[in-house]
């Protein structure tokens, strides 16, 4: 039996808005060992980041009464991490873009593509994502202990180098 997540994946086509990758502002990112069912800005710097301290085995902090241990993780060289946001139906990530490279016509065309939703796409089937921020490192947190080398995120970060080794780009 399929889960509801698997059913949703089969019913949607996801499109990336490439223009959002160009001006995604750098952010400080924390990967917590829990799910927080809220999707809105939070005063992380005021309550969480300011409480982080260097312990004998790495970074330490308390979150909702639980002890977390963490360490800084670098994104592999030559790559950038992005925080992606799904656009709500009927809303488009629009903003005046200012790029120094490329022709003026290219910029106008990209803005035009961003503002006018494509009519050929099915509104209930197609979804759009865009980058809301970028990062080159993040803090990986574990409950009570620092996540080890077997952490899933570490395994995911090895894939780009494995792909490059097995299929060198000429």
């Amino acid at each position: 039996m399929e889960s509801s997540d698997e059913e949703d994946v089969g019913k949607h086509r996801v499109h990336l808005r490439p223009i959002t990758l160009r001006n995604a502002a750098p952010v400080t990112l924390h990967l917590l060992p829990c799910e927080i069912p809220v999707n809105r800005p939070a005063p992380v710097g005021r309550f969480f980041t300011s409480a982080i301290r260097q312990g004998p085995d790495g970074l330490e902090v308390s979150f909702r009464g639980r002890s977390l241990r963490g360490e800084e993780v670098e994104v592999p060289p030559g790559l950038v991490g992005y925080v992606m946001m799904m656009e709500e139906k009927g809303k488009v990530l629009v903003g005046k873009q200012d790029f120094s490279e490329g022709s003026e016509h290219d910029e106008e065309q990209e803005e035009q593509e961003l503002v006018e939703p494509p009519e050929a796409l099915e509104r209930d089937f197609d979804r759009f994502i865009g980058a809301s921020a970028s990062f080159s490192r993040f803090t990986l947190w574990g409950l009570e202990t620092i996540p080890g080398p077997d952490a899933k995120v570490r395994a995911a970060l090895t894939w780009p180098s494995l792909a490059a080794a097995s299929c060198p780009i000429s």
Side-chain angles (χ1 to χ4, degrees), residues 59-170:
L59 300 173
E60 299 176 353
V61 73
S62 178
F63 182 71
R64 294 185 175 177
R66 302 292 302 263
S67 176
L68 301 180
R69 303 285 184 266
E71 63 182 336
E72 291 287 322
V73 177
E74 296 283 333
V75 173
L79 300 177
V80 176
Y82 291 100
V83 177
M84 306 303 287
M85 299 283 295
M86 182 83 65
E87 292 177 6
E88 293 181 31
K89 287 184 186 179
K91 293 187 178 181
V92 179
L93 294 175
V94 179
K96 182 75 176 164
Q97 306 298 324
D98 181 25
F99 303 113
S100 57
E101 61 188 19
S103 72
E104 195 172 300
H105 174 71
D106 290 342
E107 290 177 19
E108 288 174 11
Q109 184 177 358
E110 286 178 332
E111 276 190 45
Q112 190 76 11
E113 289 172 6
L114 189 62
V115 174
E116 296 177 4
E119 296 302 321
L121 301 175
E122 299 176 37
R123 294 199 183 271
D124 291 334
F125 184 72
D126 292 295
R127 298 288 182 261
F128 293 88
I129 61 172
S132 62
S134 65
F135 60 95
S136 59
R137 64 170 19 149
F138 58 93
T139 306
L140 178 61
W141 294 99
L143 187 59
E144 306 293 333
T145 62
I146 295 174
D150 294 335
K152 290 179 183 178
V153 71
R154 290 197 180 282
L157 291 174
T158 63
W159 278 102
S161 61
L162 289 173
S166 64
C167 297
I169 298 173
S170 341

Side-chain angles (χ1 to χ4, degrees), residues 13-90:
R13 186 171 40 205
V14 178
H15 303 274
L16 172 66
R17 297 229 188 254
I19 196 168
T20 63
L21 301 176
R22 290 188 183 175
N23 61 341
V27 294
T28 301
L29 191 68
H30 297 276
L31 185 54
L32 300 174
C34 61
E35 183 175 336
I36 302 172
V38 177
N39 188 13
R40 67 174 186 262
V44 175
R46 189 168 144 206
F47 295 107
F48 185 77
T49 309
S50 63
I52 297 171
R53 60 197 174 278
Q54 183 66 46
D57 298 324
L59 300 173
E60 299 176 353
V61 73
S62 178
F63 182 71
R64 294 185 175 177
R66 302 292 302 263
S67 176
L68 301 180
R69 303 285 184 266
E71 63 182 336
E72 291 287 322
V73 177
E74 296 283 333
V75 173
L79 300 177
V80 176
Y82 291 100
V83 177
M84 306 303 287
M85 299 283 295
M86 182 83 65
E87 292 177 6
E88 293 181 31
K89 287 184 186 179

